[in-house]
Amino acid sequence: APSTIHRSFLVLGTLSIVIVIHLLFTRVFSSGSFKRDVYNKTFNTMSQVASLLSNPDSVLSREGVKASISGYETLFAGARNKVGETSTTDSIEHRAKEYQTMVSSFYDLVTDFYEWGWGQSFHFAPRLVGETFEESMVRAEYYLALRANIQPDSKVLDLGCGVGGPMRNIHQFTGADITGITINEYQVRVGNQYCAQRGFDHKCRSFQGDFQKLSEKFEPDSFDAAYAIEATCHSPDRKVCFQQISSCLKKGALFAAYDWVVLPERGYDSNNPDHVRIKEGIEVGNGLPTLATTQDIVHALEDSGFEVVDVFDANKDVHSDHQIPWYSTLYGSFTLKGFRMTRLGRICTHTLVSTLEFFRIAPQGSTRVSSMLNATALDLVEAGRKEIFTPSLLFVARKK
C-alpha cells in the first residue's frame, strides 16, 4: 500500500493537473480577465494565480523572470551551500554596491507572491492571543502612527511603501496626507491603482525612488513625520539613509519604524555557525545586504541628526502565554483563510507554480522564486523560535 507521503503527492499531482486544465480553459475562453481588487484581494481565484509574475502591470517580461532570478542569485553566490560564504566582507560589499538592482529585482520577483500569501501589507506584527492575523497587522500600523505623532493635517513620508497597504490603513486611521516611496516601479503601479480604488488617491500616492537619495526627490524640511515598516533593513548604509530621511523632515519631527535585526542581547552569536546559517538564509530570501544589530541602528540614528526617543523589540514577549509568536503565521493555521501561509499551503502553492511553469502558463523561473521564499520561511521560523532575530525592532527618533 502506498505511504501517506506518496498518497499526498498523488493527490497534489492530480489536483495540479485538474487546476492546469481549468486554467488552460480559462485562458482560452476568458483572456484579459485579470483585474486588481483592493477589497477582495488580487490573486484570489485560480485564474488570477496564473498571473503571478505575468500580468498587465508587470515590469518584467515573461522571458525576464528567469534572467532576473539568475542575476539575483549571483549576488548571494554560495548561499545555503557553505555557511559564512555570504557573510564575508567582499560578499556584503558586493551586495551593498549593487543594492538598487538587488532590491528592485527582489521585489519584481516576490511582490505577487507576497500579495498572494500575505495581503497588501508586507510585514510581521506582534499578535495577542484572541487576535486575528489581520487585526494584529493593522494594530502594529496604527501604533506606529501614534508613536510618529501623525495628525489629520500631517504631511507624512512612508519609506519603502510596498504596494501601500500600511499607507492606506494609516491614512484611514489618521486622515493624514501620505507620500510613499519605493525603489520598485512595479509596486508603484500596483499601489497607486489600489489607492485610486479606495478613493484615497488625493491623499495617498507612491513614487519610484531610492531612500538613499531622498534629497533628489523632495525639498528639505518638507514632511511633518516619517515612518518605515521593515524597509530600512534593505539599506546598504543606514547612516546615509537616516541622514536623507532627516533632511526631509521638519525640525522636531518624529521618525518611527520597525526594522529587522539580529539580537546579540538575546543570544545571537556571530561565531556560532548555526546562527550564521540562519542569518544568511534570511538575507538571501529577503534581499538584504546584511542584518544589523540594535546598537547598529541606534548609532546610525545618532550619527544622522536624530535624538533616539525610544527603542525596543516589539516582539520581546514573543513566547508569552498571552502572545501568538510573530513567526506562527509562517506555519499558519488550517483554516480556509490561513492555509496558504502554512508549510503545506506553501508546498501546494509551489507544486501549482511548478506545474504552471511546466505547461508554460507561468514564466520560466517562477519555481525558483517560490523555492527561495519557502526556504527563507523556514529560516525565519527557526530564528524566531531561538529568539536570535526580530522583524519588529521599534524605534522612535526626533530630528534635532
Side-chain angles (χ1 to χ4, degrees):
S3 68
T4 301
I5 293 176
H6 289 158
R7 285 197 298 270
S8 297
F9 278 105
L10 182 63
V11 170
L12 285 175
T14 303
L15 180 60
S16 296
I17 292 170
V18 171
I19 289 171
V20 167
I21 292 171
H22 165 71
L23 288 171
L24 286 170
F25 182 87
T26 301
R27 279 290 177 94
V28 172
F29 294 102
S30 304
S31 60
S33 62
F34 179 80
K35 184 180 179 181
R36 295 198 174 274
D37 188 340
V38 71
Y39 296 105
N40 297 314
K41 292 187 178 180
T42 307
F43 309 115
N44 221 26
T45 66
M46 281 298 121
S47 60
Q48 288 179 329
V49 171
S51 296
L52 288 167
L53 291 174
S54 180
N55 61 71
D57 301 314
S58 296
V59 173
L60 291 175
S61 65
R62 287 179 61 84
E63 297 74 24
V65 173
K66 185 177 181 180
S68 187
I69 184 63
S70 295
Y72 179 82
E73 288 171 342
T74 62
L75 294 172
F76 291 91
R80 303 191 191 283
N81 294 323
K82 183 180 179 182
V83 175
E85 193 73 9
T86 61
S87 293
T88 65
T89 300
D90 286 347
S91 180
I92 294 170
E93 287 181 350
H94 180 49
R95 289 194 297 280
K97 182 180 178 181
E98 300 293 333
Y99 79 95
Q100 289 178 301
T101 300
M102 175 181 69
V103 177
S104 188
S105 296
F106 175 75
Y107 281 109
D108 280 342
L109 294 166
V110 306
T111 292
D112 288 349
F113 284 94
Y114 279 7
E115 195 174 347
W116 150 256
W118 214 254
Q120 294 164 25
S121 293
F122 301 165
H123 63 86
F124 294 98
R127 183 176 169 192
L128 301 173
V129 172
E131 192 173 40
T132 67
F133 169 73
E134 290 81 4
E135 288 169 347
S136 71
M137 297 283 277
V138 172
R139 180 169 62 85
E141 293 164 6
Y142 288 177
Y143 181 69
L144 201 65
L146 287 170
R147 294 305 308 265
N149 193 32
I150 296 175
Q151 302 297 317
D153 59 351
S154 294
K155 186 178 178 183
V156 183
L157 183 59
D158 178 339
L159 289 310
C161 62
V163 298
M167 180 199 304
R168 290 183 289 277
N169 289 337
I170 290 174
H171 164 70
Q172 183 171 280
F173 179 56
T174 65
D177 184 286
I178 307 178
T179 296
I181 188 165
T182 170
I183 204 166
N184 184 258
E185 177 61 32
Y186 178 55
Q187 292 186 336
V188 172
R189 297 181 186 184
V190 175
N192 283 335
Q193 283 187 57
Y194 286 154
C195 288
Q197 288 181 18
R198 287 288 298 272
F200 292 168
D201 48 326
H202 64 300
K203 284 280 194 175
C204 298
R205 81 289 300 167
S206 299
F207 292 103
Q208 192 278 332
D210 182 354
F211 54 38
Q212 302 290 116
K213 303 175 182 178
L214 292 173
S215 56
E216 296 179 3
K217 207 82 175 178
F218 304 111
E219 294 294 322
D221 309 320
S222 54
F223 290 97
D224 301 301
Y227 67 86
I229 303 180
E230 302 179 22
T232 55
C233 49
H234 291 294
S235 171
D237 187 330
R238 279 182 174 80
K239 182 178 176 180
V240 172
C241 177
F242 295 159
Q243 285 174 335
Q244 288 289 298
I245 295 168
S246 177
S247 73
C248 293
L249 290 174
K250 298 175 182 176
K251 185 176 181 178
L254 293 174
F255 168 41
Y258 295 109
D259 209 347
W260 287 30
V261 296
V262 288
L263 299 168
E265 61 269 35
R266 303 286 285 276
Y268 174 78
D269 182 357
S270 60
N271 294 314
N272 183 323
D274 202 40
H275 290 187
V276 174
R277 171 187 60 80
I278 296 168
K279 171 182 175 287
E280 291 181 340
I282 293 172
E283 290 164 352
V284 67
N286 292 280
L288 308 179
T290 188
L291 283 165
T293 66
T294 303
Q295 284 304 307
D296 291 333
I297 301 291
V298 170
H299 291 155
L301 287 166
E302 291 175 340
D303 291 342
S304 306
F306 283 104
E307 171 198 356
V308 178
V309 176
D310 201 3
V311 58
F312 64 92
D313 178 9
N315 288 308
K316 62 183 182 299
D317 298 320
V318 61
H319 292 130
S320 160
D321 291 339
H322 306 293
Q323 289 204 11
I324 298 172
W326 60 266
Y327 56 83
S328 68
T329 312
L330 293 171
Y331 53 84
S333 58
F334 287 91
T335 64
L336 288 176
K337 185 177 289 187
F339 176 72
R340 68 180 63 174
M341 300 179 188
T342 66
R343 187 172 185 182
L344 180 58
R346 293 196 304 275
I347 292 172
C348 289
T349 298
H350 182 72
T351 302
L352 174 59
V353 170
S354 300
T355 308
L356 292 174
E357 183 174 328
F358 178 79
F359 282 96
R360 299 188 180 278
I361 296 174
Q364 295 294 303
S366 300
T367 304
R368 285 160 68 183
V369 179
S370 178
S371 295
M372 177 183 71
L373 294 177
N374 282 338
T376 204
L378 300 179
D379 294 318
L380 287 165
V381 170
E382 192 172 1
R385 284 176 170 158
K386 294 178 182 291
E387 294 189 39
I388 59 173
F389 162 86
T390 181
S392 306
L393 182 78
L394 184 139
F395 62 82
V396 182
R398 179 181 290 110
K399 180 178 178 178
K400 295 179 182 177

